[in-house]
Amino acid sequence: IAPSEFIPLLEETGLIMEVGDWVLKSAFSQVKKWQSESGRKIQISINVSGRQIQNQNFVQTIKKLIQQTHLSPESVTLEITESILMQNLDDALVVLDKLAELGVKLAIDDFGTGYSSLSYLKRLPIHTLKIDRSFIEELSLEENGAAIIKATLALADNLNLDVIAEGVETEKQLNILKQFGCKKAQGYLLGKPLAPH
């Protein structure tokens, strides 16, 4: 079942908090295990729901997981969708500042879909913008989507942010992104979801 099908249901029923906590614990433990087994500093990105960000104990939960797993906070990137940030930017900013103080990295997921002012980018302690897959799906060199991707890359470069293109599924998409100067991408072309082992 695709996340787009079950995440809204979890949000609606309130189960997103329990599932979100389980995901965080599992992800922290798994990346620590990978690091111990490989001797390498492996990084992990974890999607965070709006309800988790709004939870007054969320920062404490992350701090506790860092302490329990002895995981370097820089190994963790928390991904927050742009639309969630826009729902209550001032409150989100307080939480994100506290998370940044812990040392975790922060990414804006689905960037470009929030229909909001870009002024929030200079206020948030973020490290990465993730270009939404909707801009990648029909990517060609001449279309409007290409202009948006180029503009995002330029904006991120000026703000010293990383950019990751989501949903890369064809060589054509990857080659165009490379031509635009995009250095990071994710999608089925590069790697499908795998079991931890």
Side-chain angles (χ1 to χ4, degrees):
I1 301 173
S4 59
E5 293 180 47
F6 69 82
I7 297 289
L9 185 59
L10 292 174
E11 292 272 9
E12 185 180 315
T13 60
L15 290 172
I16 193 69
M17 294 303 295
E18 291 175 48
V19 173
D21 284 348
W22 173 80
V23 167
L24 287 168
K25 288 175 189 169
S26 300
F28 271 73
S29 296
Q30 186 63 58
V31 78
K32 184 61 180 177
K33 181 179 178 189
W34 284 333
Q35 287 181 354
S36 297
E37 291 174 352
S38 70
R40 295 173 39 214
K41 189 172 182 178
I42 296 171
Q43 306 232 332
I44 193 161
S45 293
I46 308 164
N47 289 86
V48 177
S49 78
R51 286 200 186 193
Q52 286 174 290
I53 290 291
Q54 294 164 3
N55 183 329
Q56 60 184 359
N57 297 323
F58 183 66
V59 174
Q60 192 59 35
T61 297
I62 298 298
K63 185 176 183 178
K64 185 176 174 184
L65 285 169
I66 290 168
Q67 292 168 343
Q68 288 175 344
T69 59
H70 304 288
L71 188 64
S72 168
E74 297 82 22
S75 298
V76 177
T77 298
L78 299 177
E79 297 184 9
I80 301 104
T81 61
E82 186 178 18
S83 57
I84 287 171
L85 287 175
M86 293 305 97
Q87 288 173 7
N88 195 338
L89 183 58
D90 291 332
D91 288 346
L93 184 57
V94 171
V95 173
L96 296 182
D97 280 337
K98 289 179 182 176
L99 290 169
E101 286 173 17
L102 292 178
V104 298
K105 295 181 180 175
L106 301 166
I108 297 180
D109 198 13
D110 303 335
F111 182 74
T113 61
Y115 308 109
S116 59
S117 165
L118 295 177
S119 65
Y120 72 93
L121 285 179
K122 65 182 179 184
R123 296 175 56 198
L124 296 174
I126 57 169
H127 304 89
T128 306
L129 298 178
K130 296 187 75 178
I131 299 173
D132 187 66
R133 68 183 317 113
S134 63
F135 296 106
I136 308 301
E137 287 173 348
E138 302 293 326
L139 186 59
S140 73
L141 290 170
E142 294 84 26
E143 65 171 43
N144 290 339
I148 291 171
I149 291 170
K150 288 182 203 176
T152 301
L153 289 166
L155 176 68
D157 186 51
N158 285 315
L159 294 172
N160 295 316
L161 300 173
D162 283 334
V163 176
I164 301 173
E166 297 183 290
V168 177
E169 297 182 1
T170 68
E171 289 287 346
K172 177 185 173 188
Q173 293 168 338
L174 184 61
N175 289 333
I176 292 172
L177 288 164
K178 285 180 181 178
Q179 287 179 47
F180 293 166
C182 186
K183 296 182 176 102
K184 296 181 181 179
Q186 69 182 58
Y188 278 22
L189 177 68
L190 304 168
K192 294 183 179 178
L194 300 170
H197 308 290

